Amino acid sequence: MKSIKILLLSQSDIIQLDLSRDDVLGAVEQAMREHSADSYEMHPKIGVHPAGTDPDYFIHATPAYLKQLGACGLKWVGGFAKNPPHGLPIVTGIQVCNNVDTGIPLAVMDCAYLTGLRTAAVSTVSALP
């Protein structure tokens, strides 16, 4: 049986990629085009709320598949609004990327930084003519 190697990327690894504004906007625009063309699969996010019903605390699972990009993965992201006084970020999480032909995980990476980039880029792309 073949050995499976999974790339692990920390937040500093992601930041060191030095993604340009155009890289991020292009990727988000392509994903939005797939959404518009209905060539994606993305179910409503599911979540848990460790602090009961307090909306300031959540952990969500958001799987997605983009057919044209050949991209498939899962984001497991938490938002804990009361973290900063403890020296912790509000948003943390991981992204798992899978091979669409075999299902094998290719990478596990920090998603907090990318989530921030993606959130801003969606607003920007949505506002473009």
Side-chain angles (χ1 to χ4, degrees):
M1 190 174 308
K2 291 183 180 182
S3 175
I4 296 172
K5 294 183 181 181
I6 300 171
L7 180 63
L8 299 174
L9 297 169
S10 68
Q11 187 173 83
S12 62
D13 293 330
I14 300 294
I15 291 169
Q16 287 177 16
L17 293 173
D18 198 25
L19 297 169
S20 74
R21 176 182 168 270
D22 289 342
D23 290 336
V24 175
L25 291 175
V28 166
E29 184 175 12
Q30 189 169 3
M32 290 175 77
R33 286 184 193 279
E34 283 211 45
H35 189 277
S36 184
D38 203 27
S39 66
Y40 74 100
E41 185 176 349
M42 187 170 70
H43 302 281
K45 64 180 88 172
I46 59 170
V48 294
H49 300 84
T53 59
D54 188 335
D56 287 338
Y57 296 90
F58 66 86
I59 301 173
H60 288 159
T62 57
Y65 168 56
L66 298 170
K67 184 177 183 178
Q68 294 172 16
L69 280 173
C72 186
L74 169 76
K75 182 167 74 166
W76 180 249
V77 62
F80 285 69
K82 297 174 186 164
N83 274 356
H86 305 287
L88 300 169
I90 292 172
V91 176
T92 60
I94 60 169
Q95 172 80 34
V96 179
C97 299
N98 296 80
N99 181 299
V100 297
D101 296 320
T102 64
I104 293 173
L106 300 172
V108 175
M109 65 185 86
D110 175 85
C111 76
Y113 181 74
L114 292 173
T115 294
L117 292 178
R118 191 245 340 129
T119 300
V122 167
S123 296
T124 301
V125 170
S126 296
L128 295 175

